Amino acid sequence: MNLVSDHFFVFDSISLNEVHSKLYGFVVDETGVHTKNNVGNLSGNGCYVQITVDDDIIKIEQDSNGSFGLYLYRDGDYFAISNSFFRLQDFLKTRVKLSANNDYIYQFLALDMCSLAYSETAIKEIEWIDRNAVLIINRHNKQLRFELEDEAVNTISLESELGIQVLDKWFARWSRIMKGIRNSTNRITIDLSGGFDSRLVFLLLKASGCDLNGIRVHSAISDNKVHKEDYE
């Protein structure tokens, strides 16, 4: 297993015996932010990829947003996996033949570095794995398969009674999470852009009972690193 850093990994079907359980990134729950293995129910909240090894079975799952991304090269019985497209490309470039996906690249550049592709990447032979997919690998026979987690997506009107109830539960939960994070550390730094989401973050912090004077705020568009309009 090629451990690129504490946050990124690359391994292939040849090195499966070197793969170990590890949480890459962090999980957020009502008790704070966790960066260690065995954090219990991951519940999809945070920014992470978790590898769990149990005997001959390797299980790889990611947060509900697919924040890192999982990238797969597969040709016959050989495959390689990483939570970094660039590191996987670098790992493979001297091992296999790779070719540019020009249609993807041109579209990516034309859309201000955004992509409409579902599973394609800038390399034809590397695919982007769906965020709901759990990868299951058998180290004994080197077989790889996917299990898609059931994710029901519903639309609820915010003007409805149910919509208000859901919003209240969401607000109360994330307020508790904010408070849990604040209670577990004496230092919080928040990066803000100055838009709607920034005000929502402040509202959650305020509702959780956090003292905003104890939180350092950075803004992407303010020279003095504190966005006065947001704070007011």
Side-chain angles (χ1 to χ4, degrees), residues 79-209:
F79 59 83
I81 301 170
S82 178
N83 60 341
S84 166
F85 169 78
F86 297 105
R87 287 168 169 81
L88 180 58
Q89 174 189 257
D90 191 58
F91 176 80
L92 290 170
K93 67 183 182 182
T94 58
R95 293 172 168 84
V96 300
K97 182 179 180 180
L98 300 175
S99 54
N101 185 350
N102 289 325
D103 289 342
Y104 175 95
I105 293 171
Y106 296 151
Q107 181 192 64
F108 185 74
L109 295 174
L111 294 175
D112 292 329
M113 311 302 278
C114 296
S115 171
L116 299 178
Y118 178 70
S119 61
E120 292 183 49
T121 71
I123 299 297
K124 290 181 179 179
E125 295 79 10
I126 297 177
E127 62 178 306
W128 181 25
I129 303 304
D130 189 279
R131 60 190 174 88
N132 298 327
V134 177
L135 274 66
I136 309 294
I137 303 170
N138 188 310
R139 290 201 289 193
H140 177 68
N141 58 24
K142 298 186 178 182
Q143 294 298 306
L144 181 151
R145 61 185 175 87
F146 300 97
E147 290 183 358
L148 288 178
E149 295 184 336
D150 184 19
E151 185 182 68
V153 178
N154 299 312
T155 300
I156 303 173
S157 172
L158 286 179
E159 288 77 17
S160 66
E161 181 178 354
L162 179 59
I164 297 299
Q165 290 174 357
V166 171
L167 186 61
D168 283 346
K169 289 180 179 178
W170 178 89
F171 187 84
R173 180 171 187 270
W174 280 98
S175 294
R176 290 194 300 269
I177 288 176
M178 292 286 191
K179 187 173 183 179
I181 295 173
R182 183 68 184 89
N183 290 339
S184 65
T185 179
N186 291 323
R187 179 179 179 181
I188 295 180
T189 300
I190 302 174
D191 294 314
L192 302 177
S193 64
F196 176 81
D197 292 341
S198 300
R199 287 156 175 76
L200 184 57
V201 169
F202 262 135
L203 182 60
L204 289 169
L205 284 167
K206 187 174 182 181
S208 68

Side-chain angles (χ1 to χ4, degrees), residues 21-33:
S21 296
K22 184 174 175 61
L23 175 68
Y24 294 86
F26 63 87
V27 177
V28 179
D29 64 18
E30 295 182 22
T31 63
V33 179

Side-chain angles (χ1 to χ4, degrees), residues 7-8 24-26 47-49 62-63 66-71 83:
H7 302 293
F8 298 101
Y24 294 86
F26 63 87
C47 175
Y48 64 83
V49 173
Q62 53 187 326
D63 65 79
S67 303
F68 273 100
L70 276 177
Y71 301 92
N83 60 341

